[in-house]
């Protein structure tokens, strides 16, 4: 880049850089020259432009759409607009008429059968997590899946029961309908027993109420376009949260593994109390139940490993869970495990479907917090997985429509006594890997569940609950592998690792509902702390270019003489405004606060002396004599200290907004440094930042847009070409 030819003009000239390279081909010792690679160059010659000049040249538009006009535009209705709105609200109408039987039918059929087979054992197992009878897990795998088929936008996720949401629902049902509320006296045994029928009926009501209310929350958030809320659930937070929730799931199922009945604990630290209770009851373990659990876990793990080993050779995975529950049911029925060995079994499974029942509104006030947590967690997991598949296969998932689809699935499901659903990673992976290409696969899986519920469900009444607990343990392998995130995050981003660990610990200690709120709060705090502790840098010029970089990061930069270029890596707002000024004082070497204080003291001392002389002159009746002997008059050197800047450029390119405190900070910096003839200009302001400056009253008759520049180089050339003030005259100033 050539030097500046004349004040007020910017001249950049870059020449082509040619890089000749060649390679040898060791066949016949023949050498071929590579085609010359060229780095394109450019040449720019223009006047130095401040933001005022740019606005004038580019004819900045001041027209802004008012809120009323936006509202009127959104309320306008036409035929195409109505059709578009209908297709967005009911996506199945847009893609089902164009469904290709030849391309998609076979894959969706195989995928739907495979997922439906998985839904059977997982639905029954996750019903145990929700503390409701197993058949309600089948209902939750039917109604919500059909609703999502109609309103969902993801082609590959498998909606239905999910372990984390199930354990959250279980916490609510056991809190509001504990065993102690349903104790009755048995005249035969002369002991108190739990009325299981009444207890389960009440728990189903609680689960339906919290599910219905969570669906209403999701619908409301979707209608107000609140889909962006998922941005507050970062990947480390979600993975740490699901890992912590998986520990809750495991602990909740240990009672079925050991055949014991621990007291239910709720509230913070309930996990710790439950573990201690289980350890206390271990001597009372049912040996038959423990043997069933161990055999089931080992068998499931072995077949799943075989699935992984033969994944490339098998067209579809071996339905290990289905085989497991069938074999366990047959053995339990033949051996009579329930009567001979006291093994707890599923029990009565009614055939047919339940009629719709409106949830008990009287329960809403007691479950409103849990319902909101379910809404956020369920949506966060579904949209994260949905976006993963959408990115892989090149289509778009509408975040707001997903909220509405999940909300309708949960609210309608609540009417049919289902519990909260989301998407399952394991089932979604099976749906994708077996050839599923649309949500037709999900609808087919729901039909499989309907067939089982109507005609086959009663055959699983002798299924040991320990086998369902084993299925849950084995399906949590993927979540347990998320502990490997910790060393990876330690190497890549320690703040993300801290979020993961903190979320995991908070979820363990405070339970999934409060743990999620605390984890989001902690994540927000890390963002605040990072904006409060940004990196402050002095910038230098890359030789012969108009590029500026931090001096501490490069060895060959040239510091512009007499000009300080200052940059903060974060936005400027109330939380870091004071630190911004302190960092500027440190980088510039000017303690502006001390200088201002000294100047005020000298000014006050001068005024007192003048007043004293005036009184003395009036008393003596003679002319006033100025005696300067007692006054500290400090004159500016003819040659100022070269280490101190005569101009400061504030690079605001990293700043995306300014609050009133930030604007006041910039105004005070210009005023304070201007007291000592140091010009302060701003560079790299975005349009949003300029609007903030305008509305906050930064500009006035003395401060115009002439102190704002689009680029740092414009600001540098402006400061270099500015006229110097006369420093030869004697005037009273504060000495630097």
């Amino acid at each position: 880049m050539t030097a500046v030819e004349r004040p007020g003009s910017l001249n950049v000239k870059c020449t082509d850089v040619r890089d000749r390279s060649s390679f040898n081909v060791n066949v016949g010792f023949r050498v071929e020259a590579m085609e010359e690679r060229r780095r394109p160059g450019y040449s720019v010659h223009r006047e130095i432009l401040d933001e005022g000049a740019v606005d004038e040249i580019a004819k900045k538009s001041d027209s802004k759409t008012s809120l009323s006009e936006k509202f009127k535009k959104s309320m306008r209705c036409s035929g195409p607009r109505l059709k578009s709105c209908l297709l967005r609200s009911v996506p199945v109408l847009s893609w089902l008429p164009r469904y290709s039987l030849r391309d998609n039918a076979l894959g969706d059929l195989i995928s739907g059968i495979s997922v439906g087979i998985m839904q059977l054992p997982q639905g029954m197992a996750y019903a145990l997590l929700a503390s409701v009878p197993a058949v309600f897990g089948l209902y939750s795998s039917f109604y919500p899946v059909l609703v999502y088929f109609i309103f969902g936008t993801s082609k590959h996720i498998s909606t239905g029961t999910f372990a984390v949401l199930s354990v959250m629902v279980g916490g609510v049902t056991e809190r509001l309908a504990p065993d102690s509320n349903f104790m009755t006296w048995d005249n035969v045994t002369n002991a108190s027993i739990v009325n299981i029928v009444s207890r389960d009926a009440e728990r189903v009501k609680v689960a339906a109420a919290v599910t219905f209310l969570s669906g209403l929350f999701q619908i409301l958030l979707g209608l107000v376009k609140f889909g962006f809320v998922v941005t507050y659930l970062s990947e480390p937070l979600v993975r740490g949260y699901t890992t912590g929730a998986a520990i809750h799931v495991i602990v909740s199922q240990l009672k079925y593994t050991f055949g014991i009945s621990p007291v239910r604990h709720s509230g913070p630290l309930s996990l710790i109390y439950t573990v201690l209770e289980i350890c206390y009851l271990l001597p009372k373990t049912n040996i038959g139940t423990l043997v069933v659990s161990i055999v089931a876990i080992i068998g499931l793990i072995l077949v799943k490993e075989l699935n992984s080993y033969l994944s490339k050779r098998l067209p579809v995975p071996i339905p290990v869970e289905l085989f497991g529950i069938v074999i366990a049911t047959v053995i339990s029925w033949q051996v009579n495990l329930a009567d001979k060995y006291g093994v707890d079994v599923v029990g009565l499974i009614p055939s047919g479907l339940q009629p719709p029942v409106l949830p008990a509104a009287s329960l809403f006030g007691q479950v409103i917090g849990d319902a909101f947590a379910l809404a956020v967690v369920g949506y966060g997991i579904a949209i994260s997985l949905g976006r993963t598949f959408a990115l892989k296969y090149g289509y778009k998932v509408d975040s707001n429509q997903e909220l509405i689809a999940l909300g309708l699935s949960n609210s309608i499901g609540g009417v049919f006594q289902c519990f909260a659903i989301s998407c399952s990673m394991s089932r979604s992976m099976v749906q994708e890997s077996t050839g599923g290409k649309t949500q037709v696969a999900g609808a087919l899986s729901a039909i499989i569940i309907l067939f089982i519920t109507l005609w086959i469900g009663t055959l699983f009444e002798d299924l040991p609950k320990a086998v369902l607990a084993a299925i849950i343990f084995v399906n949590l392998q993927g979540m347990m592998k998320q502990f490997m995130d910790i060393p990876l995050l330690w190497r890549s981003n320690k703040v993300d690792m801290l979020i993961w660990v903190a979320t995991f610990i908070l979820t363990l200690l405070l339970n999934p509902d409060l743990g999620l709120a605390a984890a989001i709060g902690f994540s927000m705090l890390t963002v605040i702390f990072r904006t409060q502790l940004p990196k402050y840098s002095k910038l230098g010029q890359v030789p012969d270019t108009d590029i500026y970089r931090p001096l501490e990061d490069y060895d060959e930069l040239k510091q512009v003489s007499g000009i300080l270029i200052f940059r903060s890596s974060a936005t400027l707002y109330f939380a870091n405004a004071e630190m911004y000024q302190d960092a500027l004082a440190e980088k510039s070497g000017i303690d502006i606060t001390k200088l201002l204080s000294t100047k005020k003291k000298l000014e006050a001392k001068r005024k007192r002396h003048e007043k004293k002389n005036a009184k003395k002159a009036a008393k003596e009746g003679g002319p006033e004599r100025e005696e300067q002997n007692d006054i500290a008059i400090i004159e500016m050197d003819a040659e100022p200290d070269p280490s101190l800047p005569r101009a400061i450029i504030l690079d605001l390119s990293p700043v995306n907004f300014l609050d009133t405190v930030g604007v006041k900070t910039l105004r005070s910096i210009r005023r304070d440094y201007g007291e000592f003839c140091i010009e302060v200009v701003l560079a790299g302001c975005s349009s949003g930042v300029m609007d903030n400056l305008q509305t906050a009253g930064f500009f006035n008759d003395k401060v115009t847009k002439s102190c704002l520049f689009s680029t740092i180089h414009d600001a540098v050339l402006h400061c270099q070409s500015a006229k110097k003030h006369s420093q030869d005259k004697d005037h009273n100033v504060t000495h630097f």
Side-chain angles (χ1 to χ4, degrees):
M1 185 182 67
T2 60
V4 179
E5 296 182 353
R6 57 186 172 83
S9 87
L10 181 152
N11 189 21
V12 180
K13 209 173 204 179
C14 299
T15 58
D16 287 354
V17 178
R18 303 173 185 270
D19 180 18
R20 294 182 175 88
S21 57
S22 62
F23 65 93
N24 295 327
V25 180
N26 196 15
V27 178
F29 303 99
R30 191 175 59 176
V31 179
E32 296 181 359
M34 288 184 66
E35 186 178 307
E36 190 176 286
R37 293 186 301 171
R38 300 190 177 208
R39 183 176 298 163
Y42 70 93
S43 179
V44 176
H45 182 82
R46 62 172 173 81
E47 299 295 317
I48 299 172
L49 300 176
D50 55 45
E51 287 295 343
V54 171
D55 290 350
E56 184 179 349
I57 294 173
K59 306 297 182 184
K60 183 178 179 180
S61 174
D62 294 329
S63 62
K64 292 184 179 180
T65 306
S66 65
L67 188 61
S68 61
E69 291 176 350
K70 290 181 180 179
F71 180 75
K72 290 179 182 178
K73 185 177 180 181
S74 65
M75 297 303 292
R76 289 173 188 162
C77 185
S78 62
R81 186 183 180 91
L82 181 62
K83 180 182 178 181
S84 175
C85 181
L86 179 63
L87 294 179
R88 282 199 311 270
S89 302
V90 190
V92 70
L93 297 178
S94 63
W95 63 265
L96 190 59
R98 295 182 282 111
Y99 183 79
S100 173
L101 289 174
R102 188 175 69 175
D103 295 337
N104 302 329
L106 181 60
D108 284 341
L109 177 63
I110 297 173
S111 177
I113 295 173
S114 302
V115 173
I117 290 172
M118 287 184 69
Q119 289 269 30
L120 168 63
Q122 288 190 5
M124 298 175 70
Y126 294 157
L128 297 185
L129 292 176
S131 298
V132 296
V135 70
F136 291 93
L138 300 182
Y139 300 155
S140 301
S141 302
F142 172 64
Y143 293 108
V145 176
L146 285 181
V147 175
Y148 186 83
F149 163 76
I150 298 171
F151 296 100
T153 60
S154 175
K155 300 178 181 180
H156 294 89
I157 65 172
S158 173
T159 53
T161 55
F162 181 59
V164 174
L165 296 189
S166 299
V167 77
M168 293 174 70
V169 172
V172 181
T173 56
E174 293 191 12
R175 186 183 77 236
L176 298 183
D179 290 342
S180 58
N181 290 0
F182 303 93
M183 302 299 292
T184 59
W185 184 260
D186 187 358
N187 293 324
V188 177
T189 60
N190 289 327
S192 296
I193 61 173
V194 178
N195 187 337
I196 295 177
V197 175
S198 300
R199 181 202 65 184
D200 288 349
E202 184 63 24
R203 287 182 175 180
V204 168
K205 290 181 181 178
V206 174
V210 72
T211 300
F212 180 81
L213 192 56
S214 72
L216 292 184
F217 276 129
Q218 289 173 327
I219 294 172
L220 180 62
L221 293 175
L223 291 175
V224 298
K225 309 298 182 183
F226 210 63
F228 69 89
V229 72
V230 75
T231 58
Y232 295 104
L233 303 176
S234 65
E235 184 179 358
L237 187 147
V238 171
R239 292 175 72 85
Y241 177 78
T242 53
T243 307
I247 302 297
H248 280 275
V249 171
I250 291 172
V251 171
S252 70
Q253 295 303 290
L254 290 177
K255 60 182 179 182
Y256 299 115
T257 301
F258 294 102
I260 55 180
S261 300
V263 177
R264 168 71 183 180
H265 298 280
S266 60
L269 303 180
S270 61
L271 183 74
I272 307 299
Y273 297 136
T274 303
V275 171
L276 294 176
E277 179 78 13
I278 291 173
C279 293
Y280 176 75
L281 294 175
L282 281 181
K284 299 180 181 180
T285 298
N286 184 303
I287 302 301
T289 302
L290 183 61
V291 170
V292 171
S293 300
I294 294 173
V295 172
I297 291 173
I298 293 175
L300 290 169
I301 290 175
L302 289 177
V303 180
K304 278 189 173 289
E305 290 299 321
L306 182 63
N307 263 339
S308 301
Y309 181 73
L310 300 177
S311 59
K312 295 183 179 180
R313 302 179 185 178
L314 295 174
V316 294
I318 301 172
V320 55
E321 290 96 348
L322 177 63
F323 288 161
I325 64 172
V326 170
I327 294 171
T329 302
V330 171
I331 293 175
S332 174
W333 170 56
Q334 290 293 326
V335 181
N336 196 7
L337 293 178
D339 295 335
K340 287 186 177 180
Y341 301 100
V343 176
D344 196 11
V345 296
V346 170
L348 178 65
I349 298 180
S351 60
L353 300 173
Q354 295 289 322
V357 177
L358 285 177
S362 59
L363 294 171
F364 289 169
Q366 302 176 65
V367 300
I368 186 168
D370 304 284
F372 187 78
L374 284 168
V376 173
V377 174
Y379 170 66
I381 293 169
I383 194 65
S384 299
L385 196 58
R387 284 178 174 174
T388 301
F389 285 119
L391 185 64
K392 182 177 180 179
Y393 289 98
Y395 62 92
K396 185 179 179 182
V397 172
D398 186 339
S399 59
N400 293 307
Q401 182 61 29
E402 284 294 292
L403 260 176
I404 295 173
L406 289 172
L408 289 171
S409 299
N410 279 318
S411 56
I412 295 175
V415 172
F416 287 94
Q417 302 176 47
C418 303
F419 54 86
I421 62 96
S422 183
C423 74
S424 165
M425 182 175 294
S426 60
R427 291 197 307 270
S428 298
M429 295 302 294
V430 169
Q431 180 166 319
E432 183 236 1
S433 63
T434 53
K437 296 180 180 178
T438 68
Q439 276 300 324
V440 169
L444 290 174
S445 71
I447 294 173
I448 299 286
I449 293 298
L450 175 63
F451 177 78
I452 293 170
T453 304
L454 293 178
W455 293 290
I456 303 178
T458 55
L459 299 178
F460 295 103
E461 291 180 352
D462 290 318
L463 174 63
K465 290 183 179 179
V467 175
L468 296 178
I471 291 173
I472 293 172
F473 292 151
V474 175
N475 282 327
L476 291 176
Q477 284 185 93
M479 290 189 185
M480 293 298 101
K481 291 178 181 178
Q482 291 178 163
F483 280 109
M484 299 306 298
D485 292 350
I486 297 176
L488 294 176
L489 291 174
W490 173 261
R491 291 191 292 269
S492 60
N493 191 312
K494 292 181 175 58
V495 175
D496 282 347
M497 187 216 68
L498 185 63
I499 292 173
W500 195 105
V501 173
T503 302
F504 174 75
I505 294 174
L506 290 169
T507 305
L508 286 185
L509 298 181
L510 302 179
N511 293 344
D513 46 1
L514 292 177
L516 176 66
I520 293 176
F522 180 83
S523 180
M524 293 296 99
L525 281 177
T526 62
V527 175
I528 294 172
F529 286 143
R530 276 186 274 187
T531 59
Q532 280 189 301
L533 301 172
K535 180 181 179 182
Y536 298 105
S537 305
K538 289 173 63 175
L539 304 186
Q541 184 183 23
V542 178
D544 297 329
T545 71
D546 59 346
I547 300 171
Y548 295 82
R549 292 291 183 267
L551 288 167
E552 61 268 22
D553 294 340
Y554 298 85
D555 297 328
E556 297 297 327
L557 296 182
K558 181 177 67 175
Q559 187 169 357
V560 182
S561 177
I563 300 174
L564 169 68
I565 308 172
F566 179 75
R567 174 192 290 169
S568 168
S569 62
T571 195
L572 178 60
Y573 70 119
F574 70 92
N576 60 10
E578 186 176 350
M579 287 180 285
Y580 187 91
Q581 296 183 77
D582 294 341
L584 177 60
E586 180 184 349
K587 296 293 184 181
S588 65
I590 302 173
D591 190 346
I592 196 70
T593 304
K594 184 178 179 180
L595 291 179
L596 288 172
S597 176
T598 302
K599 183 176 181 180
K600 288 179 180 178
K601 289 179 181 178
L602 292 176
E603 190 70 20
K605 189 174 182 180
R606 183 183 64 80
K607 289 181 178 179
R608 287 197 304 269
H609 187 74
E610 289 178 352
K611 189 175 181 181
K612 180 180 177 181
N613 286 343
K615 288 182 179 180
K616 187 176 181 180
K619 185 177 180 180
E620 295 178 354
E624 181 180 346
R625 293 178 299 173
E626 290 286 344
E627 296 184 9
Q628 302 290 340
N629 297 332
D630 298 327
I631 295 296
I633 302 299
I634 303 175
E635 297 181 351
M636 176 71 78
D637 293 337
E639 293 295 331
D641 187 347
S643 65
L644 299 177
R646 62 178 183 270
I648 295 176
I649 299 172
L650 302 180
D651 178 17
L652 300 184
S653 55
V655 177
N656 54 10
F657 75 92
L658 288 171
D659 62 358
T660 55
V661 177
V663 174
K664 288 179 180 178
T665 300
L666 294 177
R667 189 188 298 123
S668 66
I669 289 173
R670 276 187 54 83
R671 182 188 64 245
D672 294 344
Y673 285 88
E675 290 278 340
F676 304 99
C677 300
I678 299 176
E679 185 181 14
V680 178
V681 298
L682 314 180
C685 298
S686 66
S687 58
V689 170
M690 286 191 285
D691 289 341
N692 294 149
L693 292 171
Q694 184 76 47
T695 55
F698 180 81
F699 302 111
N700 51 42
D701 295 338
K702 297 181 179 179
V703 180
T704 64
K705 285 189 177 181
S706 61
C707 67
L708 271 66
F709 296 88
S710 297
T711 68
I712 297 176
H713 199 59
D714 278 298
V716 169
L717 295 179
H718 164 78
C719 294
Q720 288 178 334
S721 62
K723 294 181 179 180
K724 297 181 180 179
H725 293 285
S726 176
Q727 299 176 350
D728 298 331
K729 295 182 180 180
D730 293 332
H731 52 81
N732 298 336
V733 295
T734 305
H735 206 0
F736 285 125

